[in-house]
Amino acid sequence: MPAHSPPVLLHLLTPRETEILGLVADGLGNSEIAARIGLAEDTVKGYLRSIRTKLGTSRRPVLADMACRAGHAARPEGAEAVRPEISDEETTTLRLLAQGAGAREVAKAQLMSHHTAKKHIRRLLDKMGASDAVHGVSLAWSWHILNADEGARS
């Protein structure tokens, strides 16, 4: 995670970059973003390169988390579904994903093997109905899982 708080960094974005960041936070892929706002997919990729450079991260789950922490109300597909019961261990995994952790970092933090962490993450995302980690982070924000205990997140 960048050392600066997200609201401080987000002011560096142009209005179009902010719009695209919000769509990333909603769990949309590049082609979906392009179709939604009427741009070529390569143009969206260019905007995302600029956003990643300005915000200091290349991980989409981190971008989604930053947008939500700065006040974006994530509206990912499936958010209207019933929120599943999420354990403390699963909440910790979601927080790690939101910070840009991959399976190896989750394994280390959760004291499990890399292989077990990959299965754990996939089961969690399946339980949530999430297609990938970005979608999972977005759903977690829309269901108030990640922002429920802001003090536990750093």
Side-chain angles (χ1 to χ4, degrees):
M1 266 321 262
H4 304 292
S5 64
V8 171
L9 290 174
L10 293 182
H11 86 279
L12 299 172
L13 302 181
T14 67
R16 180 62 100 177
E17 290 169 341
T18 301
E19 177 184 20
I20 290 171
L21 181 63
L23 294 170
V24 168
D26 289 342
L28 299 180
N30 294 353
S31 61
E32 295 167 310
I33 293 170
R36 174 86 50 99
I37 60 178
L39 294 175
E41 188 172 350
D42 284 345
T43 304
V44 169
K45 289 177 183 177
Y47 277 116
L48 284 168
R49 274 191 299 278
S50 176
I51 292 167
R52 287 178 171 122
T53 298
K54 289 178 180 180
L55 299 183
T57 183
S58 62
R59 303 291 310 240
R60 283 177 89 102
V62 175
L63 294 175
D65 182 65
M66 290 176 84
C68 292
R69 286 202 292 145
H72 176 76
R75 294 176 299 280
E77 185 177 313
E80 65 283 350
V82 176
R83 174 188 162 178
E85 193 65 35
I86 302 293
S87 70
D88 289 344
E89 180 181 60
E90 291 168 330
T91 299
T92 298
T93 298
L94 286 168
R95 286 190 178 115
L96 290 166
L97 293 173
Q99 294 170 3
R104 291 193 191 287
E105 293 87 2
V106 169
K108 185 175 181 182
Q110 299 281 48
L111 302 175
M112 58 180 69
S113 73
H114 177 249
H115 180 72
T116 300
K118 285 172 64 173
K119 288 179 14 182
H120 168 71
I121 292 166
R122 186 69 259 158
R123 276 194 307 269
L124 171 59
L125 296 176
D126 288 346
K127 177 180 183 179
M128 295 174 73
S131 56
D132 58 23
V134 177
H135 193 208
V137 167
S138 298
L139 284 169
W141 271 97
S142 71
W143 290 333
H144 305 287
I145 294 169
L146 289 179
N147 53 349
D149 184 13
E150 198 61 34
R153 304 178 65 241
S154 53

